[in-house]
Amino acid sequence: MLSEAVVVDGLTVAYERIVALEDVSFKVFRGSITAVVGPNGSGKSSLFKALVGQVKPRRGVIKILGLDVSDARGKIAYVPQREEVYWDYPLTVWDVVAMGRIRNVGYLRSVKKNDEKVLAALEKTGLKELMHRKISELSGGQQQRAFIARAIAQEAEIYLLDEPLTGIDAESEDRLFDILSEMRRIGKTVIMTTHDLSSTFEFFDNILLLRNRVIAFGSPEKVLTAENLASAYGSERVAMHLTDVGRVAGWR
Ligand SMILES: Nc1ncnc2c1ncn2[C@@H]1O[C@H](COP(=O)(O)OP(=O)(O)OP(=O)(O)O)[C@@H](O)[C@H]1O
Ligand SMILES: [Mg+2]
């Protein structure tokens, strides 16, 4: 039986007078991969922050694996958008990834140097050789991978990745998609935002197209129509371009 990983019903998020999300409803099932797409300022990051309890909804209900947000924290791994991370930590790559284990073992100091989950996450993301380097001294793409490795080490059920493709090279992108496929295979749920409509869409089970409200939600074929894209991006030209991308990728 399909079970619900995330259920959002009538969600409204506002920062004083700016309404980031209005009356947003959707649900995703366990073991699915969902892309959240929409123009800058369409509320994608605000949605993730609401799902992890970093912003309090003005209205609406969120259930994570049937739990309230405050009871579900250990089940969600969240990799924020790059610009929102303070990178200048005096921490090594290993430390950052080991932070994913704190919930299981108590303190960073009590994570063993040979902790298998940490080492496996470093291996998966191709960071094993860099594990003793300071996080602040890595390239942008490597830093991004370290945060993804931390999410993997956390062994959450649900992964929220905010623009994980931004600023990473083609090889890292391939590697990320391999990791995501593996996650889906073992029944994890992934929700990620992206501005890259070209290479990735065949990969997703669902697309949530946002412009502060839900423009469309469902399979890529259903969501990525010229009308929907024009409503989301507010420009026929952008929509035409994106639909062309869809045609090249073979959706229509
Ligand atoms: N802390 C904040 N205080 C006030 N307004 C905010 C805050 N964070 C976001 N907003 C506003 O809420 C709206 C949604 O922002 P959000 O960051 O969720 O968009 P986004 O879809 O993630 O955009 P991007 O593609 O640029 O990352 C925007 O109008 C933004 O200016
Ligand atoms: Mg954002």
Side-chain angles (χ1 to χ4, degrees):
M1 200 189 76
L2 285 175
S3 67
E4 288 157 353
V6 175
V7 178
V8 171
D9 188 18
L11 177 68
T12 296
V13 170
Y15 305 96
E16 297 181 7
R17 257 178 293 159
I18 296 170
V19 178
L21 292 169
E22 193 166 5
D23 197 21
V24 167
S25 303
F26 68 95
K27 43 173 102 152
V28 302
F29 293 99
R30 288 183 85 148
S32 66
I33 303 194
T34 301
V36 183
V37 179
N40 293 136
S42 58
K44 303 179 296 295
S45 297
S46 299
L47 173 65
F48 283 2
K49 286 177 192 162
L51 293 177
V52 296
Q54 281 187 15
V55 300
K56 207 169 155 298
R58 186 168 284 183
R59 270 191 297 281
V61 177
I62 298 173
K63 290 284 176 191
I64 309 289
L65 298 166
L67 302 169
D68 290 336
V69 167
S70 54
D71 297 325
R73 293 226 166 96
K75 302 193 186 296
I76 296 195
Y78 168 45
V79 179
Q81 200 168 336
R82 249 193 83 68
E83 301 83 281
E84 297 188 4
V85 178
Y86 174 71
W87 295 100
D88 210 8
Y89 300 108
L91 296 173
T92 65
V93 173
W94 186 91
D95 293 330
V96 168
V97 179
M99 281 160 66
R101 301 283 298 143
I102 291 176
R103 199 174 284 271
N104 297 68
V105 301
Y107 299 96
L108 189 55
R109 267 175 306 163
S110 44
V111 183
K112 297 214 169 60
K113 285 293 163 203
N114 60 357
D115 185 290
E116 279 174 26
K117 310 281 185 208
V118 174
L119 294 177
L122 286 163
E123 182 95 57
K124 264 201 182 128
T125 49
L127 288 173
K128 215 162 180 185
E129 290 78 55
L130 300 178
M131 70 180 180
H132 300 302
R133 296 263 297 273
K134 288 218 186 68
I135 190 83
S136 56
E137 291 167 3
L138 297 191
S139 77
Q142 291 166 338
Q143 290 173 333
Q144 182 87 321
R145 269 150 60 188
F147 273 66
I148 290 165
R150 183 178 73 172
I152 294 171
Q154 194 183 324
E155 293 193 299
E157 289 302 317
I158 297 164
Y159 292 77
L160 306 180
L161 310 177
D162 203 350
E163 297 194 23
L165 299 174
T166 302
I168 68 171
D169 63 25
E171 195 198 331
S172 303
E173 182 174 320
D174 274 357
R175 201 190 273 271
L176 179 64
F177 279 106
D178 286 347
I179 292 169
L180 298 181
S181 301
E182 166 71 7
M183 283 180 172
R184 169 158 54 191
R185 198 183 59 75
I186 61 177
K188 307 283 185 185
T189 308
V190 178
I191 308 178
M192 66 176 253
T193 65
T194 178
H195 288 291
D196 179 8
L197 291 157
S198 58
S199 61
T200 52
F201 271 57
E202 62 213 78
F203 186 79
F204 293 99
D205 301 304
N206 297 306
I207 297 190
L208 174 63
L209 181 60
L210 281 183
R211 184 172 180 175
N212 308 107
R213 291 173 159 272
V214 177
I215 303 291
F217 175 72
S219 66
E221 298 75 35
K222 190 181 133 198
V223 170
L224 297 174
T225 64
E227 290 94 322
N228 287 340
L229 291 169
S231 311
Y233 290 89
S235 143
E236 294 290 335
R237 225 178 96 237
V238 174
M240 287 260 295
H241 169 69
L242 295 174
T243 335
D244 274 350
V245 164
R247 200 174 302 119
V248 171
W251 309 314
R252 57 181 52 81

